[in-house]
Amino acid sequence: TSEESFYDLIGGEEAFKRLIHRFYQGVAEDPLLRPLYPEEDLTGAEDRLRLFLIQYWGGPTTYSQERGHPRLRMRHAPFVIGEPERDAWLKHMGDAVESLELPQEQHEKLWKYLVYAAHSLINA
Ligand code: HEM
């Protein structure tokens, strides 16, 4: 009687690893976004975003065990996020989502959420 999570459906940890790794490859080359990331090494940021999304979509809850409640608006408050930053973030995430080559329905579900979440984090 197991109800498959969206996390499992799209390919589990492997899919999220590919998604977020690809995303941060874009961020690493982005002159607008890269300076926002406080750490020289992006692997910590990569781990946090990957674990958050895994948890959000019904996978293991490692994110909250390590970081507590997500409080995403609060955690983004130190960074100036206007429309240009949001659009750059979504550009790299869009490339990353496309690279997964998911069935259309899964692609749309994932993408809609990311667009909504990115819009909700504008703070400038
Ligand atoms: C952390 C930027 C949107 C989830 C961060 C950090 C930056 C950042 C600079 C700090 C990196 C670090 O963890 O060391 C942005 C920008 C966005 C954006 C410019 C554009 C709108 C999003 C969205 C989500 C998200 C849409 C979720 C769907 C996270 C998570 C963390 C994080 C989970 C780590 C929080 C923690 O545990 O400390 N973001 N972000 N971000 N972001 Fe974003």
Side-chain angles (χ1 to χ4, degrees):
T1 70
S2 76
E3 237 176 74
E4 198 179 29
S5 62
F6 188 70
Y7 165 79
D8 289 322
L9 191 65
I10 72 167
E13 184 175 20
E14 200 47 47
F16 284 86
K17 274 201 173 135
R18 280 164 55 211
L19 175 72
I20 299 308
H21 189 69
R22 173 67 182 257
F23 170 72
Y24 275 108
Q25 284 180 331
V27 169
E29 302 293 319
D30 190 304
L32 186 62
L33 293 184
R34 185 61 186 85
L36 294 181
Y37 288 80
E39 291 169 10
E40 197 178 319
D41 182 354
L42 288 173
T43 56
E46 193 170 321
D47 288 344
R48 288 184 281 277
L49 181 56
R50 187 187 65 256
L51 290 172
F52 170 80
L53 289 175
I54 284 174
Q55 172 172 301
Y56 178 85
W57 290 110
T61 57
T62 315
Y63 176 84
S64 279
Q65 286 162 35
E66 291 184 356
R67 307 289 293 163
H69 190 288
R71 299 183 204 285
L72 287 188
R73 269 196 70 83
M74 187 195 80
R75 292 198 206 260
H76 287 80
F79 316 114
V80 173
I81 304 180
E83 288 183 9
E85 289 79 12
R86 176 201 65 195
D87 291 346
W89 193 100
L90 283 172
K91 156 86 175 67
H92 300 302
M93 193 55 90
D95 290 345
V97 171
E98 278 186 15
S99 78
L100 294 181
E101 300 186 317
L102 296 171
Q104 191 185 343
E105 198 183 328
Q106 295 170 19
H107 182 119
E108 274 175 20
K109 183 168 171 173
L110 179 59
W111 182 237
K112 267 190 187 163
Y113 162 75
L114 291 164
V115 169
Y116 165 82
H119 280 64
S120 80
L121 290 175
I122 295 243
N123 60 20

